Amino acid sequence: MRQRRRMAQGLTLLAAVALIATACGSSSSGGSSSGGTGKPIVVGTTDKVVSFDPAGSYDQGSWTPMYSMYQTLLFFPPGSTKATPDAAKSCAFTDTTTYVCTMRSGQKFWNGDPVTAKDVVYSFTRNLKIKAPNGASSLLDPVKSVTTQGSDKVVFALKQPFALFPDILGDPSNAIVDPKVFPPTKLVANDKIVGSGPYELSKYQDGQQLVLKPNPHYAGTLKLHNSGVIVRYYTQASALKLAVEGGDADVAYRTFSPTDIASLRGEGSRGVQVVEGQGAEIQYIVFNQKIMPGGSAAQKLAIRKAMALTIDRPAIAKSDYNNTVTPLYSMIPAGLTGHTESFKQVYGDAPNTAKAKSTLSSAGVKTPVSLDLWWTPSHYGETSADMYTTIKRQLEATGLFKINLHSAEWDQYSGAYPTDQYQSFQLGWFPDYPDSDDYAAPFYGTSPLSFLNDHFSNPQVDSAIAAERKSTDPSARAKSFGQVQLIGAQQAPIIPIWQGKEIAVQRKGVTGVASTLDPSYTFRYWLIGKS
Amino acid sequence: MAKKNSGSLRSYLLVRLLLVLPMVLILLTFVFLLMRVAPGDPIQAALGGKLSPAQLAARRAAAGYDRPLIVQYGEYLRQVITGNFGTTITDHRPVIDVVKTSGAATLELTVGALVVAIIVGVPVGLLCGRYRDTWFDASGRTFGVVIYAAPVFLTGLLAQLIFGKDLGWLPTSGQASPLTQAFLQTHSNFLLIDTIIDGNTAAFWDVFKHLILPATTLGLLLSGVFIRLVRVNVIQTLRHDYIEAARARGINEPRVVFRHAFRNALVPVITVMGLQAALLLSGAVLTEETFNWPGIGHALIDYLNNRDYIAVQGIITVFALAVVVISLLIDFINAWADPRMRY
């Protein structure tokens, strides 16, 4: 029975290979020699797609396939957090507020239309004009204007110096679109898009699957290691796990629970392999400085410091997350420019109950400190429940704290934490762009730089953020980030807990997955091959 | 007399039809209010924890979610009346497209489940009734109760583990394998029919095999109801005088049971089958989640999680209309078959 099933699958596979090969055959007339070798691959995921229109998406589920279907002026090569030219031949600041990109010649959308500097201007203008509720147009807030210069140059005028602007250009929300296909004020349906990336959308069935074939007109630099990609969408991690175990998916990327990962790690004999890379997802606890316990600012600070001294991050990573995360001692994760383990510097690398006790007593804080700690059950995964039980246990074991755990579903939670309803609360963060600024300004900057509304404000931090945003010198920026992290640890308005790993599961014979798992969260389909 | 009877049938049908309107209106209003009263909205669900309260409020205003409820309600009703269910907020699809594609998958699943329920429930119920109080009857009744009481996701998960993972006989998720689905032409949104139209035997078997576990899981749940219902009706029918008369005339037992008792016992079962439509649809939601079946229940849960008002309202309205239409049809059939129903 199993053999007959495999035979039927094999025949279907052959038919598929033939079909994709036909598509590749026609591609030779398109002038590209980069794509379409090897076998098609099947990628399974529990991600959801909001929109493949660059103006309408601001989520990982939409962005992951978009990296392969569109071109951006700059992109992130594997293992790098520095954006380098993609559709552009070169890009550079001509002064602190002017950024100029020169387009690569001979590039086309998959419908054959040429990709021009005018199209780039149209794409950015359109994004800013539509301002879709689920879109990422807010990332373009620093842009004053976008214009063409000559036939092949795009000029970005910025409102103020913003050194990390090139990184933002690597986001799929800033992908180049064809004005003939994308109307200026309306989003385009997911199955009607046209891009100029290495793959062309062949078929899309919402919530079911996405089929990509090599773009016959692609004239970029990327080499394809497969002849097509099928992305299969699953709602349950359990179904995704069964799919990769049974060979229905060659690769499973996002998102398994730590328990699933632990189980899959033991299935090498069944042809399954867990692949890990450095991620940049983080989780942390925020204190609302207005309503947290403590009779004065000094007492509140002492309470935060005592908590920072008590929480045992390695224990959480090991017992609750099966080492699928690593302990985090800074809000800027490891792997990004300027990362320092500031919390280790300030509080040591192991919990210190005696120091926590003396910190509280010297500030005149009565113990045990009663603190409301909120967490949300499903938004950050089911393991949140375990983690917050562990944190409560760790804190209460010292006799210094009485933790009142509360939980609320995301709909209620996300409306309550920024409106002074929670004393302290769980949050998580995925990067918009792989730069340390994305972990400094949104958390430590004075509102509106910070989205937390936790009433933390520090002039030294604000000036350090302003300095790193102006500077293009990596060492100067690293110095600014060092300052932000040190003050962040000393004041502890937020306690970082862990940094996630990028994890995928692959079948035996699949190649290239490890090389695409990095903090940029760019899952590059073109790198994946199958023998 | 016949004239008077047919007149009362007409008025009965008219009243039933007129009752549909307030019923649907109440339901629409209820769904609309429930979605608005519950905390959160599509913007917050997607971008909460990413943007500041001010940025979220600006986006909410731009999308029109801060308009007075009555204005939004009026607009919603106007759209529904004109047959326009709107476009989903989260993925920008016309709701009617969602209903068409996902609805077809659900229908394929429910038809498959109904077939399984009939194949299992009716014969077991018949034999339990015929051999009342025997070991077979006890086993059949126990099976019926247990299978009806077992949660769909539990039965589904066990089936996945046994027939999918351990034995490797059947696929455990989706409507077809990725490669089949990728290259199958869409004609009707019903995958089985599409494979037949294409004359693609390998694809047909692939789709059919994907249907077996979810349809069996949902069908077995329903078979529990059928077993008990058929059993009770067969027992009652076998007590009737005409059955005794048939036996007295020397008609052999199988003929008495199948030809006379069973056929009459089936009439109330057919009525209940219609009434089970709602149960089947609600059961389909859980089955679809368990088996990653891309049906309308699956879509509904997705949209609910993302607080997509428009999609949820549209899908529930279609669900409700389907149940109302089926109930109406059953009422019509009953009123036609049994004059007592009209009074």
Side-chain angles (χ1 to χ4, degrees):
Chain A
M1 185 74 179
R2 196 180 272 187
Q3 271 183 336
R4 288 170 87 182
R5 182 180 163 203
R6 284 195 179 144
M7 193 183 285
Q9 280 179 342
L11 286 171
T12 318
L13 183 72
L14 276 175
V17 172
L19 273 165
I20 291 178
T22 310
C24 296
S26 67
S27 79
S28 58
S29 60
S32 169
S33 59
S34 61
T37 58
K39 294 176 180 177
I41 55 156
V42 179
V43 178
T45 182
T46 57
D47 277 348
K48 293 183 182 10
V49 172
V50 171
S51 173
F52 287 145
D53 186 323
S57 56
Y58 195 3
D59 59 289
Q60 197 71 18
S62 308
W63 280 11
T64 296
M66 284 167 70
Y67 288 114
S68 295
M69 296 191 286
Y70 292 98
Q71 280 181 301
T72 41
L73 286 172
L74 304 172
F75 85 120
F76 296 98
S80 170
T81 54
K82 186 173 161 49
T84 56
D86 180 19
K89 190 165 64 186
S90 62
C91 290
F93 278 102
T94 54
D95 60 58
T96 55
T97 56
T98 310
Y99 192 69
V100 180
C101 288
T102 307
M103 297 297 292
R104 204 183 290 277
S105 61
Q107 297 189 91
K108 288 178 179 175
F109 293 102
W110 68 58
N111 61 5
D113 290 344
V115 177
T116 65
K118 277 183 183 170
D119 297 335
V120 177
V121 173
Y122 177 83
S123 304
F124 279 85
T125 314
R126 176 177 178 269
N127 195 345
L128 286 165
K129 195 184 284 181
I130 291 179
K131 280 198 171 168
N134 289 338
S137 58
S138 54
L139 292 175
L140 296 176
D141 283 349
V143 177
K144 190 161 77 180
S145 67
V146 192
T147 51
T148 55
Q149 191 181 74
S151 60
D152 64 344
K153 283 190 169 56
V154 181
V155 180
F156 294 92
L158 306 180
K159 291 172 188 162
Q160 56 200 29
F162 193 50
L164 51 107
F165 181 67
D167 290 344
I168 290 170
L169 294 181
D171 277 342
S173 59
N174 296 320
I176 306 164
V177 301
D178 185 349
K180 287 183 189 164
V181 178
F182 290 78
T185 54
K186 259 181 76 177
L187 296 177
V188 171
N190 286 341
D191 57 348
K192 301 282 187 291
I193 59 154
V194 170
S196 59
Y199 290 95
E200 172 181 347
L201 187 145
S202 170
K203 189 177 183 181
Y204 177 66
Q205 293 165 291
D206 193 80
Q208 297 182 52
Q209 63 181 32
L210 163 73
V211 183
L212 301 175
K213 62 182 183 183
N215 172 7
H217 296 287
Y218 179 66
T221 55
L222 307 175
K223 304 290 176 200
L224 275 61
H225 293 260
N226 54 62
S227 56
V229 180
I230 298 170
V231 183
R232 180 88 155 181
Y233 294 98
Y234 296 85
T235 43
Q236 310 280 345
S238 56
L240 177 62
K241 183 168 175 272
L242 282 171
V244 74
E245 285 170 338
D248 280 345
D250 300 312
V251 182
Y253 175 62
R254 287 167 49 88
T255 305
F256 287 116
S257 68
T259 318
D260 287 335
I261 295 294
S263 153
L264 286 161
R265 275 186 180 136
E267 295 187 19
S269 58
R270 297 181 63 174
V272 176
Q273 189 192 354
V274 176
V275 187
E276 291 179 2
Q278 194 164 48
E281 176 195 4
I282 61 167
Q283 281 222 8
Y284 51 93
I285 296 173
V286 184
F287 294 90
N288 183 314
Q289 313 231 343
K290 202 172 172 184
I291 61 167
M292 70 171 287
S296 63
Q299 286 193 338
K300 288 178 182 185
L301 176 61
I303 291 168
R304 296 196 301 269
K305 282 183 168 180
M307 275 183 74
L309 281 161
T310 309
I311 292 173
D312 186 354
R313 297 172 181 83
I316 293 169
K318 191 181 172 191
S319 66
D320 298 328
Y321 284 90
N322 287 320
N323 290 323
T324 53
V325 301
T326 50
L328 181 63
Y329 295 93
S330 161
M331 284 302 283
I332 295 176
L336 296 188
T337 313
H339 161 80
T340 57
E341 294 197 312
S342 54
F343 274 73
K344 255 188 193 174
Q345 290 168 22
V346 176
Y347 303 104
D349 53 4
N352 189 336
T353 307
K355 199 169 175 188
K357 197 172 180 179
S358 68
T359 304
L360 288 173
S361 65
S362 59
V365 178
K366 277 188 184 172
T367 55
V369 177
S370 179
L371 176 79
D372 289 340
L373 178 56
W374 286 79
W375 60 281
T376 185
S378 38
H379 191 71
Y380 297 117
E382 291 164 6
T383 317
S384 294
D386 302 330
M387 175 165 80
Y388 279 85
T389 309
T390 303
I391 290 174
K392 176 184 165 73
R393 202 177 54 240
Q394 289 176 354
L395 291 168
E396 290 188 343
T398 62
L400 301 174
F401 291 94
K402 167 80 181 74
I403 302 297
N404 311 307
L405 281 186
H406 304 277
S407 66
E409 275 301 337
W410 184 245
D411 289 329
Q412 186 186 334
Y413 191 89
S414 57
Y417 80 75
T419 50
D420 297 337
Q421 294 182 48
Y422 297 167
Q423 289 183 352
S424 59
F425 48 92
Q426 168 197 26
L427 277 181
W429 184 257
F430 266 98
D432 297 314
Y433 40 89
D435 187 278
S436 298
D437 175 81
D438 201 34
Y439 293 84
F443 303 121
Y444 294 127
T446 300
S447 183
L449 268 183
S450 166
F451 70 95
L452 293 171
N453 205 30
D454 59 350
H455 307 288
F456 174 77
S457 178
N458 184 298
Q460 282 174 287
V461 167
D462 287 343
S463 65
I465 289 171
E468 62 84 6
R469 288 191 152 196
K470 277 181 200 159
S471 173
T472 51
D473 174 10
S475 61
R477 293 189 78 217
K479 199 176 162 191
S480 297
F481 288 130
Q483 200 181 353
V484 171
Q485 288 170 95
L486 186 63
I487 297 170
Q490 287 164 343
Q491 295 295 313
I494 305 166
I495 299 181
I497 305 291
W498 57 251
Q499 172 177 358
K501 292 177 183 171
E502 266 274 80
I503 294 180
V505 180
Q506 64 181 34
R507 298 283 310 169
K508 198 176 170 187
V510 172
T511 56
V513 176
S515 56
T516 190
L517 299 177
D518 61 41
S520 76
Y521 282 89
T522 309
F523 197 74
R524 304 161 182 90
Y525 294 146
W526 59 89
L527 292 179
I528 303 170
K530 193 166 86 174
S531 57
Chain B
M1 192 67 186
K3 201 174 179 182
K4 194 180 171 187
N5 268 349
S6 65
S8 70
L9 176 64
R10 261 205 301 273
S11 58
Y12 173 80
L13 297 182
L14 194 66
V15 170
R16 291 295 292 112
L17 270 174
L18 287 174
L19 278 174
V20 167
L21 287 175
M23 203 155 77
V24 171
L25 189 68
I26 289 168
L27 191 95
L28 291 184
T29 311
F30 186 67
V31 171
F32 178 87
L33 288 176
L34 203 67
M35 290 299 293
R36 300 312 195 277
V37 168
D41 58 58
I43 310 285
Q44 198 171 293
L47 299 173
K50 199 85 186 168
L51 301 182
S52 68
Q55 286 171 312
L56 287 171
R59 288 185 182 223
R60 212 172 278 133
Y65 303 146
D66 60 345
R67 289 176 302 163
L69 269 191
I70 191 73
V71 175
Q72 294 185 51
Y73 180 62
E75 191 184 319
Y76 167 56
L77 278 190
R78 186 181 54 77
Q79 284 185 338
V80 172
I81 289 165
T82 55
N84 173 14
F85 289 95
T87 304
T88 62
I89 300 164
T90 46
D91 56 3
H92 318 291
R93 296 173 70 199
V95 173
I96 209 73
D97 273 7
V98 177
V99 170
K100 261 194 250 171
T101 51
S102 306
T106 297
L107 210 56
E108 206 162 72
L109 172 64
T110 48
V111 168
L114 208 56
V115 170
V116 172
I118 291 169
I119 288 174
V120 175
V122 174
V124 174
L126 172 68
L127 292 171
C128 285
R130 171 65 185 83
Y131 300 106
R132 187 187 177 188
D133 295 335
T134 62
W135 67 267
F136 186 88
D137 182 29
S139 313
R141 284 162 67 191
T142 309
F143 171 76
V145 171
V146 170
I147 204 72
Y148 187 66
V152 169
F153 58 83
L154 178 70
T155 320
L157 204 63
L158 285 174
Q160 282 177 328
L161 288 174
I162 296 167
F163 298 103
K165 193 176 176 184
D166 293 344
L167 298 172
W169 290 353
L170 293 165
T172 53
S173 72
Q175 242 185 322
S177 60
L179 291 170
T180 301
Q181 205 160 351
F183 300 104
L184 189 67
Q185 295 293 319
T186 304
H187 303 288
S188 65
N189 289 321
F190 293 93
L191 250 57
L192 270 178
I193 295 175
D194 288 349
T195 56
I196 294 168
I197 292 171
D198 282 355
N200 189 338
T201 319
F204 176 84
W205 280 113
D206 182 62
V207 174
F208 183 72
K209 279 193 295 186
H210 277 79
L211 181 62
I212 293 174
L213 281 186
T216 306
T217 304
L218 185 55
L220 284 177
L221 169 86
L222 201 59
S223 74
V225 182
F226 284 7
I227 288 170
R228 295 181 68 78
L229 199 71
V230 172
R231 177 184 174 276
V232 168
N233 280 299
V234 166
I235 288 169
Q236 280 177 353
T237 315
L238 283 172
R239 284 183 187 147
H240 284 159
D241 292 344
Y242 70 90
I243 297 292
E244 284 301 312
R247 282 176 176 148
R249 283 203 302 274
I251 298 173
N252 64 31
E253 189 62 16
R255 194 176 162 87
V256 170
V257 173
F258 287 103
R259 189 85 184 254
H260 298 278
F262 178 56
R263 282 176 66 174
N264 285 316
L266 267 189
V267 176
V269 176
I270 292 165
T271 309
V272 172
M273 271 184 199
L275 293 173
Q276 292 298 317
L279 173 74
L280 211 52
L281 287 173
S282 59
V285 175
L286 290 173
T287 314
E288 287 169 7
E289 274 301 282
T290 309
F291 288 97
N292 204 48
W293 191 265
I296 203 157
H298 187 81
L300 180 64
I301 287 178
D302 247 17
Y303 288 123
L304 263 170
N305 285 336
N306 292 317
R307 312 283 297 119
D308 191 325
Y309 305 140
I310 307 294
V312 172
Q313 283 163 187
I315 291 171
I316 290 185
T317 305
V318 173
F319 251 83
L321 286 174
V323 174
V324 164
V325 168
I326 292 167
S327 307
L328 207 60
L329 278 174
I330 292 164
D331 283 351
F332 287 174
I333 293 166
N334 281 342
W336 172 74
D338 186 352
R340 288 172 297 178
M341 294 289 293
R342 303 170 213 165
Y343 298 101

